[in-house]
């Protein structure tokens, strides 16, 4: 059997690794199509890599992983997919025939701000683009940076550039991390950013990057122009679907998959940021662009490729900030009643609907996050915990109670 995997990000690599655990070389020929000038890497580890120089977390499976897995590496991108002929065409002009195809082409910057294509507007979505940005900062050519978008990638880039000595301003059209946390938790993040020397402009929609060929300013609502030495767009991500045009595969914002991660075409699967998967809690289908989902989906796909019948419970929604100085973690899709504990720098929120946790946001003290997550995912009834639920020390006691009650 010949398996072709498009992409070697966390999703594609997880498919390859799990597949090799299940099917030795000889049983399955594995072809990985991947066109970046680096070994496969972990995007969440990029900031740490630039700050510390450490390679190990970045090249999380080792720099020789594709060789070790006995995969044939095609240094090209996929140009088109023909499911009827079971063939993909590469940008090198080569074609590959497959028995099973995995689409794991991930995502890239999504920016609806005009002028984003101007020279000098950077993004931090791939190791290549992130390296170009950091190289400019390190060469001492630039002393100030303007980041558009205050989601978790924007916040991470702001902290990195501040640590590299730049004067950083981050601009958000709503509050800080609006898709991950509510305004009150966002305020904790904003204050921590300010404490790290990052200026934060909120409720300021970016209208356009301006310049002839090179960016010279960012125009914001009201016509004011903001200037910096370096500009970064961190306005969100969108799935890489271009090579699927004309393939007949069902797509919406991402590739449409069923609960077994099968696409609309026979023997074609999709995993990771490119796929629209079912939310474990709400049942809604959308692109859940986080690392643990990509890895979990990759493993499920690999098991399906060899004929196993694993159950994929669904994708999770979770965000955390690693370098802020204040621990922050948010999960779920909050609805229902808000339970809140405010204690100086600590903010802990749980959202409970009909006795079930639908989401949580913890800042300053994230103890218990693992327990809340488990209670949330198992739809456990938490009414019995009363006011103790919010206490930072809740975790240990709850685990014991859970075990006694046999929850999860
Ligand atoms: C700076 C940053 C920080 C992050 N931090 C976190 C975090 O803290 N926690 C968390 O959970 N998530 C985080 N994420 C998100 C996480 O990295 C992604 O969800 C994850 O990388 C998705 O994996 P993927 O393999 O689906 O896609 P990607 O990582 O996007 O990989 C896609 C792969 O496909 C390849 N490819 C693209 N187009 C083609 C083509 N046409 N042909 C062949 N190959 C192609 C690419 O080269 C790449 O190898 C972060 C992301 C970034 C950018």
């Amino acid at each position: 059997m010949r398996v072709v995997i498009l992409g070697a990000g966390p999703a594609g690599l997880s498919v390859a690794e799990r597949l090799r655990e299940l099917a030795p070389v000889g049983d399955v020929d594995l072809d990985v199509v991947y066109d970046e000038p680096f070994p496969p890497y972990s995007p969440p580890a990029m900031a740490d890599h630039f700050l510390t120089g450490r390679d190990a977390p970045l090249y999380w499976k080792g720099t020789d992983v594709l060789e070790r897995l006995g995969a044939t590496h095609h240094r090209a991108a996929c140009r088109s997919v023909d499911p009827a002929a079971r063939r993909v065409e590469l940008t090198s002009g080569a074609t590959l025939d497959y028995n099973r195809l995995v689409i794991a082409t991930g995502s890239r910057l999504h920016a609806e701000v005009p002028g984003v294509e101007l020279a000098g507007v950077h993004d931090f979505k791939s190791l290549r683009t992130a390296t170009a940005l950091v190289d400019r900062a390190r060469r001492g050519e630039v002393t100030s940076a303007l980041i558009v978008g205050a989601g978790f990638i924007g916040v991470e880039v702001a902290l990195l550039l501040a640590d590299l000595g730049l004067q950083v301003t981050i601009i958000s059209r709503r509050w800080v991390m609006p898709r991950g946390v509510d305004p009150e938790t966002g305020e904790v993040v904003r204050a921590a950013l300010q404490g790290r020397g990052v200026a934060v402009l909120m409720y300021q929609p970016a209208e356009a990057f301006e310049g002839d060929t090179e960016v010279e300013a960012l125009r914001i609502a009201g016509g004011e122009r903001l200037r910096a030495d370096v500009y970064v767009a961190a306005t969100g991500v969108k799935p890489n679907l271009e090579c699927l045009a004309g393939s007949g595969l069902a797509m919406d914002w991402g590739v449409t998959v069923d609960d077994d991660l099968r696409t609309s075409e026979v023997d074609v699967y999709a995993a990771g940021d490119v796929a629209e998967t079912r939310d474990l809690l709400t049942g809604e289908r959308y692109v859940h662009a986080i690392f643990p989902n990509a890895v979990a989906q990759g493993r499920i796909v690999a098991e399906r490729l060899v004929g196993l019948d694993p159950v994929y419970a669904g994708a999770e929604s979770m965000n955390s900030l690693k370098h802020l100085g204040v621990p922050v973690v948010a999960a779920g899709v909050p609805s229902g009643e808000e339970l809140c504990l405010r204690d100086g720098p600590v903010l802990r929120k749980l959202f409970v609907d009909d006795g079930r946790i639908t989401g949580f946001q913890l800042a300053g003290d994230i103890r218990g996050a693992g327990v809340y997550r488990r209670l949330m995912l198992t739809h456990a009834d938490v009414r019995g915990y009363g006011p103790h639920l919010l206490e930072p020390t809740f975790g240990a006691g709850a685990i014991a109670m859970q075990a006694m009650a046999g929850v999860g």
Side-chain angles (χ1 to χ4, degrees), residues 17-18 36 60 67-68 70 75 104 113 122 137 161-162 170 173 246 254 266 273 280 317 340 379 394 406:
E17 192 179 44
R18 181 71 181 131
E36 295 192 57
W60 60 306
E67 295 79 356
R68 213 166 15 85
R75 289 185 186 278
V113 185
H122 293 265
L161 295 181
I170 185 167
R173 64 179 171 162
V266 179
D273 283 11
L280 180 51
S317 173
C340 186
H379 306 283
F394 168 75

Side-chain angles (χ1 to χ4, degrees), residues 7-11 34 36 43-44 78 104-107 124 152 272-273 289-292 322:
Y34 168 67
E36 295 192 57
C78 170
T105 49
S107 61
F124 204 78
F152 72 92
D273 283 11
I290 60 169
F291 186 92
K322 298 178 285 289

Side-chain angles (χ1 to χ4, degrees), residues 193-256:
L193 280 168
Q194 195 176 308
R196 295 276 298 271
V198 175
V200 183
L201 301 179
M202 298 194 298
Y203 302 99
Q204 301 280 4
E207 286 199 335
F209 292 101
E210 294 185 333
D212 288 333
T213 52
E214 182 130 0
V215 60
E216 287 162 16
L218 176 78
R219 194 179 74 239
I220 59 174
E224 189 187 346
R225 286 172 175 77
L226 306 178
R227 292 175 205 279
D229 294 338
V230 70
Y231 298 79
V232 184
T235 39
V237 299
K238 66 175 175 192
N240 288 318
L241 301 176
E242 288 65 22
C243 69
L244 306 178
S247 67
L249 260 88
M251 294 182 273
D252 190 0
W253 181 250
V255 176
T256 307

